[in-house]
Amino acid sequence: MPAHIRAMVTTRFAPSPTGRLHLGHAYSAILAHDVARARGGRFLLRIEDIDGTRSRPEHVHAIIDDLAWLGLTWDGPVVFQSQRLDRYAAALDRLRGLGLLYRCYCTRAEIAEAMSAPHGPAAVYPGTCRKAPKRDAPHCWRLDMAAAVTRTGPLTWQNHGRTILADPQAQGDVVLARKDAPASYHLAVTVDDAAQGVTDIVRGRDLFEATHIHRLLQALLDLPVPAYRHHDLLTGPDGERLAKRHGAPSLAAMREAGEDGAALAERLRAGRA
Ligand code: GLU
């Protein structure tokens, strides 16, 4: 990437095409878009479709139509994670080479059982397979969290300009490659944000905890560290998150009903949607 592009403020919207977008997505996309536009930077669109069983092309088309309807424009081609699997494999290889990954053969039922141990339920995966002998069976790859944080030492990141001490241990030995997918969200998002030169990550508060993991992966993989802004989530009059509200209309439904997308975007900007 040329140096003048690397120096530009770059934000992105990175939806997973596993369903239709709602108002909460629109709000997040608008904030990320506006941060870039206000500073003469780049706004990218990345489709996070590594989950082959849940991602659907019709959702990709709807996402693109929704963003255009809201009046948002993005720079460069749309990037699809499903076309970048070799990059995630290379990152996994590197972590494996550092001795930081292990195979986990546990089924969901075994994990549930291990976590409901008699001496009190575990908050995270208890590391059952950390020392398991290698065998020929379906497995995911987990990060050996204790070894990883020993390697990096304490880490910090910036949220809205405030320094946050990274606390990845709270999430235990996270999965970095799934049994059914060649990379996990954590790995793919970290690799791609760096590869695409994203400088400012604007996304919902629901991903705040995930950032501790992303910061750790950046340190392990020698990647640059973007600035973060985790924004509040939109709520309905009942205080419940819009994304979770039963029956909240999708952007596609509003668009097809003839609503004015640019006007909706203005209301979201003004906090009146
Ligand atoms: N693909 C993620 C999602 O749709 C968001 C990724 C991110 O913004 O980091 O929830």
Side-chain angles (χ1 to χ4, degrees):
M1 194 182 306
H4 72 281
I5 293 190
R6 194 170 310 126
M8 279 171 101
V9 167
T10 301
T11 66
R12 50 50 164 197
F13 179 53
S16 307
T18 53
R20 292 292 196 244
L21 300 187
H22 290 79
L23 277 180
H25 295 107
Y27 181 60
S28 204
I30 290 167
L31 291 182
H33 169 272
D34 290 1
V35 164
R37 294 290 174 249
R39 292 160 68 190
R42 298 185 304 151
F43 171 65
L44 311 179
L45 175 58
R46 183 172 71 231
I47 302 293
E48 303 215 318
D49 58 349
I50 33 174
D51 187 338
T53 54
R54 293 174 58 227
S55 298
R56 298 264 177 280
E58 61 268 28
H59 296 317
V60 175
H61 296 137
I63 288 168
I64 289 175
D65 291 348
D66 291 343
L67 297 181
W69 172 71
L70 290 167
L72 304 185
T73 53
W74 55 91
D75 298 296
V78 180
V79 165
F80 291 83
Q81 288 194 325
S82 56
Q83 293 170 12
R84 298 171 52 78
L85 302 183
D86 52 336
R87 312 257 186 146
Y88 314 139
L92 282 171
D93 273 350
R94 185 157 165 191
L95 296 172
R96 218 178 272 122
L98 295 172
L100 297 177
L101 301 187
Y102 64 88
R103 291 180 177 81
C104 172
Y105 304 93
C106 292
T107 61
R108 276 174 202 274
E110 283 163 350
I111 293 173
E113 197 191 320
M115 287 177 67
S116 62
H119 43 273
V124 295
Y125 176 71
T128 320
C129 286
R130 206 176 290 138
K131 298 270 176 286
K134 189 174 163 188
R135 60 182 204 253
D136 192 17
H139 57 270
C140 68
W141 288 90
R142 288 185 183 272
L143 182 67
D144 183 336
M145 185 58 78
V149 298
T150 301
R151 185 177 174 92
T152 64
L155 298 167
T156 59
W157 50 279
Q158 300 285 313
N159 190 43
H160 294 278
R162 276 189 47 228
T163 301
I164 308 285
L165 185 63
D167 181 22
Q169 294 96 313
Q171 294 169 67
D173 293 353
V174 289
V175 172
L176 293 189
R178 293 167 28 179
K179 278 182 191 166
D180 59 347
S184 72
Y185 157 68
H186 291 310
L187 185 79
V189 84
T190 306
V191 166
D192 285 345
D193 283 331
Q196 294 188 276
V198 175
T199 59
D200 293 74
I201 295 184
V202 181
R203 62 185 176 194
R205 283 186 91 94
D206 52 333
L207 290 169
F208 183 95
E209 307 299 331
T211 306
H212 296 312
I213 306 290
H214 304 170
R215 179 66 191 92
L216 177 68
L217 292 175
Q218 286 153 7
L220 295 171
L221 295 167
D222 287 322
L223 301 175
V225 184
Y228 291 85
R229 302 178 195 203
H230 292 92
H231 60 73
D232 288 339
L233 302 174
L234 287 188
T235 51
D238 52 3
E240 199 179 338
R241 268 182 66 187
L242 278 188
K244 297 265 152 107
R245 249 164 123 214
H246 187 65
S250 65
L251 299 182
M254 293 184 227
R255 175 162 54 76
E256 280 153 19
E259 261 201 57
D260 181 339
L264 172 67
E266 282 317 308
R267 289 201 301 280
L268 283 167
R269 287 186 173 101
R272 285 187 283 104

